[in-house]
Amino acid sequence: MSTESLAEPVNRVRPRRLGSLRLRLTLAVPLLAATVVGLFEWSLGGFEPLADGLARIAWLVLLLSAAQLLLIDALLLRPLRRLAAGCEAMESAPVPLSPEAAVPAPGRIAELDRIGHAMLRARGSLWQQDQHARELRRELAQQRDQLQEAHSAIEAHQRELAGLVRTDALTGIANQRAFDEALRREFKRAQRQRGLLAVAVLDLDQFKQFNLAHGTAVGDTALRRVAALLKERFKRDTDVVARLGGEEFVTLLPGFGMAEAQSVLESLRDDLRALRLPDGQGSLTLSIGLAAASPAHPYLSAQALLQAADEALYMAKHAGRDRLSLAA
């Protein structure tokens, strides 16, 4: 059966349905209008006025029905007719059913082939670009890791350099720079809190002759052992032991007055005499100059306190060495 033969019954059915709908509306609308007008007139005066004004009611029903039918035709029936006409036009359009009708022309085939090849090339190019982007991301990740490692190494070197700047390379204790900072800090604290602060400058007696007799290697070992002895003797958190240079050391003792510091330092001199030097090479003695700041004996500055201890050391040296001298 052909498409035209199937479409014919459908095309006949649609006008019939529209005509039936128009007929039903033509019958229903006057009845509805008469009912509405009759109810309205009855509500105004009852049945007797309704019978007297029958002609007028008939004219009202006729006019109201005509107006409603015109509105229904304009708003409903005409759009339905246009819709039906469009459907009939779509159904009456020829539809190719044979396979030959669906086969494109040879020129179209060649054009479609070119488009397909172009799409394949574009897909391959996109795949290569994606691979290249992945390689770049991997390289960037590796470089970022390397930069982080380099940054960590630089920070470690900076910490090491900062430690070297504040540490004596030979003995491992604080150097003069670190001691000067601690002295200024503790001096200000002692002034603020009206506390005690003792400073002792220590010098190994005849150390140049010791180096000449035993060699600088033995002398360096002796300096390291003296530094270890000082760290062991002065091990409070607030104590500071430093090497000023050569064979000269210094101790900072917060909270110690002259008497307390003197007692500890005399004991240190005894410990140094008993110190075992490398291979039993000779013995060492200490000359010490001690100064202490207190509310009863204040100093104008931290440098003045250190200078007083240094002058006391000078007096100990000239008094015969191997002794402790107190600042005036």
Side-chain angles (χ1 to χ4, degrees):
M1 185 180 294
S2 64
T3 307
E4 289 79 3
S5 61
L6 290 173
E8 287 177 1
V10 178
N11 296 335
R12 287 197 298 270
V13 168
R14 283 177 182 157
R16 289 176 185 173
R17 289 181 179 176
L18 291 175
S20 176
L21 178 61
R22 177 177 294 188
L23 178 60
R24 278 182 258 175
L25 289 173
T26 304
L27 295 175
V29 168
L31 291 176
L32 179 62
T35 302
V36 172
V37 172
L39 290 174
F40 180 74
E41 291 291 336
W42 176 78
S43 65
L44 291 177
F47 291 104
E48 292 181 0
L50 186 63
D52 295 337
L54 189 60
R56 183 174 58 82
I57 292 172
W59 278 108
L60 287 175
V61 170
L62 181 62
L63 291 175
L64 185 60
S65 300
Q68 289 179 344
L69 287 173
L70 289 175
L71 286 173
I72 291 172
D73 183 70
L75 297 177
L76 179 63
L77 295 179
R78 287 182 186 177
L80 286 175
R81 284 197 296 271
R82 287 196 295 270
L83 181 61
C87 292
E88 290 175 3
M90 291 176 62
E91 291 174 352
S92 62
V95 178
L97 299 177
S98 60
E100 292 79 4
V103 177
R108 292 278 183 88
I109 294 175
E111 185 177 355
L112 290 174
D113 288 340
R114 286 194 297 271
I115 293 173
H117 289 306
M119 292 180 66
L120 289 175
R121 287 194 299 272
R123 183 181 300 174
S125 176
L126 288 175
W127 182 83
Q128 290 179 354
Q129 291 178 4
D130 182 65
Q131 294 296 114
H132 185 58
R134 290 183 180 180
E135 284 291 332
L136 287 177
R137 284 196 293 269
R138 282 195 292 268
E139 291 179 3
L140 287 174
Q142 291 176 356
Q143 291 178 2
R144 184 173 60 250
D145 294 340
Q146 291 174 358
L147 285 175
Q148 289 178 352
E149 291 178 0
H151 183 67
S152 300
I154 289 173
E155 288 182 345
H157 287 309
Q158 288 177 344
R159 289 192 296 269
E160 185 178 355
L161 288 174
L164 291 175
V165 169
R166 301 172 58 84
T167 304
D168 180 64
L170 177 63
T171 61
I173 61 176
N175 59 14
Q176 184 169 2
R177 178 177 179 179
F179 173 77
D180 290 340
E181 293 175 359
L183 176 61
R184 288 192 295 270
R185 182 179 64 250
E186 294 299 333
F187 185 82
K188 290 180 181 178
R189 181 180 300 171
Q191 279 187 323
R192 188 168 57 250
Q193 299 177 356
R194 296 184 59 81
L196 304 176
L197 179 63
V199 176
V201 181
L202 308 91
D203 190 84
L204 292 173
D205 297 325
Q206 306 293 341
F207 192 72
K208 292 182 180 178
Q209 287 78 1
F210 181 89
N211 271 342
L212 290 175
H214 304 289
T216 55
V218 175
D220 290 344
T221 303
L223 290 174
R224 284 192 288 268
R225 293 193 178 181
V226 171
L229 178 62
L230 291 173
K231 288 176 63 176
E232 181 182 352
R233 176 61 64 178
F234 304 104
K235 54 186 178 183
R236 295 183 307 165
D237 292 338
T238 55
D239 293 342
V240 178
V241 177
R243 182 186 177 206
L244 298 182
E247 66 274 15
E248 193 172 31
F249 297 86
V250 64
T251 61
L252 183 65
L253 306 174
F256 275 24
M258 187 72 80
E260 296 90 346
Q262 181 178 2
S263 175
V264 174
L265 291 169
E266 289 289 1
S267 177
L268 173 67
R269 290 177 57 243
D270 296 336
D271 293 337
L272 182 62
R273 291 190 191 94
L275 183 66
R276 291 177 57 83
L277 296 177
D279 300 327
Q281 302 287 339
S283 61
L284 293 174
T285 59
L286 270 177
S287 293
I288 303 173
L290 175 62
S294 66
H297 191 207
Y299 285 85
L300 295 178
S301 65
Q303 192 59 36
L305 177 62
L306 180 61
Q307 182 66 32
D310 198 58
E311 291 174 357
L313 173 65
Y314 180 80
M315 290 187 293
K317 288 286 189 183
H318 281 268
R321 299 184 179 87
D322 189 17
R323 67 191 62 220
L324 185 149
S325 180
L326 305 180

